[in-house]
Amino acid sequence: MTRAPIRLSALPSGRIEERFEDKSPRYTDAEAIAEANRCLYCVDAPCVKACPTAIDIPSFIRKIAGGQVKGAARTILTANLLGQSCGQACPVEVLCAGDCVYNAWGREPIAIGRLQRYAVESALARDPRIFRAKPPTGKSVALVGAGPASIAAAGYLALEGHRAVIFERKAIPGGLNTLGIAPYKMKGHEALHELEWVLSLGDIELRAGVSVVAQAAGPGEVSARDLVAEYDAVFLGLGLGADARVGLRGEDGDGVVGATAFIERLKADPGLDLAGVRRAVVIGGGNTALDVAHELALLGVDVAVVYRRSEAEMSGYAHELEGARVAGARLVENRVPVEVVREGGKVVALRIAPADAGARGSAPGPAGEELLPADLVAVAIGQSRATQVALAFEGVVLDPRGRVVVDPATHRTGNPKVYSGGDCVNGGKEVVNAVAEAKIAAHAMHEAMTTRAGGAAPVPSPQGS
């Protein structure tokens, strides 16, 4: 069995994320049992229907109440191999807990996320041998990208006895879980602990620092053609790309950062220095914008979130906005950024105007403009697609929005050996959605490899929504 030597030294000490306290620390045994006993164990429970991975929530909570922690963890992890990180990072307020029947009665919903985290962490700390892999099948799968989708797919495939090899271009694996989740929800080293456990499930190898390209030109690269030829199946878990830019005057240069790049540095780079940042402006209205604002506010920075529409129209979750506000951030709605103002090259303010005064990035005018003092401007208006490499695989197509097109029933692409899932398919959803899609793809790959189904895959239409 091949094991990847993932060590916590991959994340050096002195990272800013280490300063954050855990927003929802793990329950003690007594706390977990008390909360579990509040559950009504509903038949046809709405919380299960709201979970993308369909965890049997009443069943695992009942097991916690009865002291069967390992059984609770097995129930969770059978449905969702990344049950630990999802217990910490899932937006349960709009998923399982958001559909808890207690909400309709004006009572506090069951703390499903915290109970899930308690069960998985407690069980794995006592005995990580929750599952046993089936005998080797002789089949192998290459997985491109070491984010949640690929990690989950590799785990499910390994449990079926297949060999899984994950190719990750970055030195630090884990994707969103390690480098993108707000540190008050989950730290990077916790994501690596979970990854270590998944790697222990069977014959899984992680090759970090290796890029998949159309045509390999040297060490550290492998070609798409070679993966298709060498492996019985390929899974594309490409994630998302770089932060989008606004196109403002003054945007280029120090003091203006992409939101996801900033979060990654905050979580992994001990060299990040925020000593001179007293005021910050975040541009955007999604969850990433709210995460950055929340993080900066917790660090004592005066933060304003500038959004071009109203609060009611924000794509970010209401509970995330409330959390950012409690931490000290404020929302400036119905405003568009016009210019990053600099003095001597240093950012000193963001010029904004009423949203109806013109297009974003247009020439400034006097009517209704104002300056928001800032030492830092974080841009959180979306990310580019990282899917161009997918086109190196014959038969794989993208939709008009740059997402990999798959058959939703199998997550197979137009190439009968290539499957895909996660953000590169759904455009950017939650970790739990990536796991759900990975599970579908892993099952389909297992069926294809073990039944030797013949015939070519139909090419999916790229006209997806």
Side-chain angles (χ1 to χ4, degrees):
M1 181 183 299
T2 304
R3 300 287 171 81
I6 302 301
R7 295 180 295 272
L8 295 186
S9 58
L11 289 176
S13 60
R15 308 180 323 275
I16 289 179
E17 82 156 356
E18 294 174 319
R19 304 178 193 173
F20 291 86
E21 295 183 359
D22 195 334
K23 182 181 72 170
S24 301
R26 190 174 91 190
Y27 276 144
T28 64
D29 292 346
E31 289 171 335
I33 292 172
E35 181 65 13
N37 277 309
R38 290 182 58 231
C39 184
L40 301 176
Y41 313 122
C42 302
V43 176
D44 198 25
C47 57
V48 177
K49 296 177 182 178
C51 175
T53 54
I55 295 173
D56 187 346
I57 295 168
S59 178
F60 93 70
I61 294 179
R62 187 188 293 272
K63 289 173 181 175
I64 291 174
Q68 303 172 45
V69 177
K70 186 172 183 178
R74 182 186 294 275
T75 297
I76 295 164
L77 295 169
T78 297
N80 181 347
L81 274 181
L82 302 188
Q84 176 180 331
S85 56
C86 287
Q88 293 179 250
C90 253
V92 294
E93 294 87 349
V94 296
L95 293 173
C96 53
D99 272 16
C100 178
V101 296
Y102 277 138
N103 289 297
W105 302 337
R107 296 175 61 185
E108 188 72 19
I110 300 299
I112 298 171
R114 296 189 70 180
L115 287 172
Q116 180 170 312
R117 177 185 182 182
Y118 162 81
V120 176
E121 286 191 9
S122 299
L124 294 184
R126 297 171 190 173
D127 183 1
R129 296 168 295 179
I130 299 288
F131 302 115
R132 178 178 296 178
K134 295 178 181 178
T137 63
K139 302 293 184 179
S140 62
V141 178
L143 302 100
V144 183
S150 289
I151 293 169
Y156 285 117
L157 289 164
L159 288 173
E160 293 291 349
H162 308 303
R163 172 168 167 74
V165 181
I166 306 173
F167 296 85
E168 169 56 49
R169 64 182 178 84
K170 293 183 178 181
I172 300 175
L176 173 68
N177 274 12
T178 305
L179 300 173
I181 291 177
Y184 52 84
K185 298 177 184 175
M186 185 171 75
K187 306 291 193 297
H189 70 269
E190 294 173 314
L192 291 182
H193 273 307
E194 182 177 54
L195 174 55
E196 286 177 327
W197 177 74
V198 174
L199 293 174
S200 75
L201 293 177
D203 191 355
I204 306 176
E205 179 183 357
L206 172 62
R207 299 181 186 176
V210 178
S211 297
V212 176
V213 296
Q215 187 171 356
E221 294 183 340
V222 61
S223 74
R225 183 184 297 271
D226 287 345
L227 291 185
V228 173
E230 181 179 348
Y231 294 87
D232 297 287
V234 176
F235 178 82
L236 305 178
L238 303 171
L240 294 176
D243 292 293
R245 293 169 52 81
V246 186
L248 302 175
R249 283 194 311 280
E251 187 173 359
D252 295 331
D254 292 342
V256 179
V257 297
T260 64
F262 174 76
I263 294 173
E264 181 171 329
R265 289 196 65 195
L266 187 134
K267 292 180 68 69
D269 182 5
L272 178 62
D273 184 7
L274 298 179
V277 178
R278 294 180 296 108
R279 300 162 302 186
V281 177
V282 180
I283 301 173
N287 289 313
T288 300
L290 297 178
D291 275 348
V292 171
H294 195 161
E295 290 157 5
L296 287 168
L298 288 173
L299 291 170
V301 177
D302 179 24
V303 187
V305 178
V306 173
Y307 180 55
R308 61 195 175 98
R309 296 194 178 101
S310 69
E311 177 179 336
E313 297 171 283
M314 293 180 73
S315 61
Y317 298 137
H319 70 272
E320 296 288 10
L321 175 58
E322 179 60 21
R325 278 175 163 156
V326 169
R330 67 186 187 280
L331 175 65
V332 181
E333 55 188 325
N334 296 309
R335 296 291 187 275
V336 293
V338 174
E339 177 187 11
V340 176
V341 181
R342 295 177 180 270
E343 292 181 0
K346 184 178 183 299
V347 172
V348 295
L350 179 72
R351 188 186 305 277
I352 62 174
D356 58 0
R360 194 169 51 188
S362 62
E369 283 192 354
E370 58 184 303
L371 292 179
L372 293 178
D375 306 301
L376 177 73
V377 174
V379 180
I381 60 170
Q383 293 172 254
S384 64
R385 300 288 182 253
T387 49
Q388 285 303 306
V389 68
L391 297 178
F393 293 86
E394 184 178 357
V396 177
V397 296
L398 306 180
D399 71 8
R401 296 172 62 184
R403 300 172 299 186
V404 178
V405 177
V406 299
D407 173 1
T410 61
H411 273 256
R412 186 170 66 173
T413 70
N415 186 317
K417 291 183 69 175
V418 181
Y419 299 72
S420 188
D423 286 348
C424 65
V425 170
N426 61 45
K429 292 187 177 180
E430 308 294 341
V431 173
V432 69
N433 298 98
V435 176
E437 295 177 7
K439 188 162 60 170
I440 293 170
H443 176 75
M445 286 185 278
H446 170 67
E447 290 292 311
M449 290 187 292
T450 54
T451 61
R452 298 182 180 276
V459 178
S461 167
Q463 303 304 315
S465 60

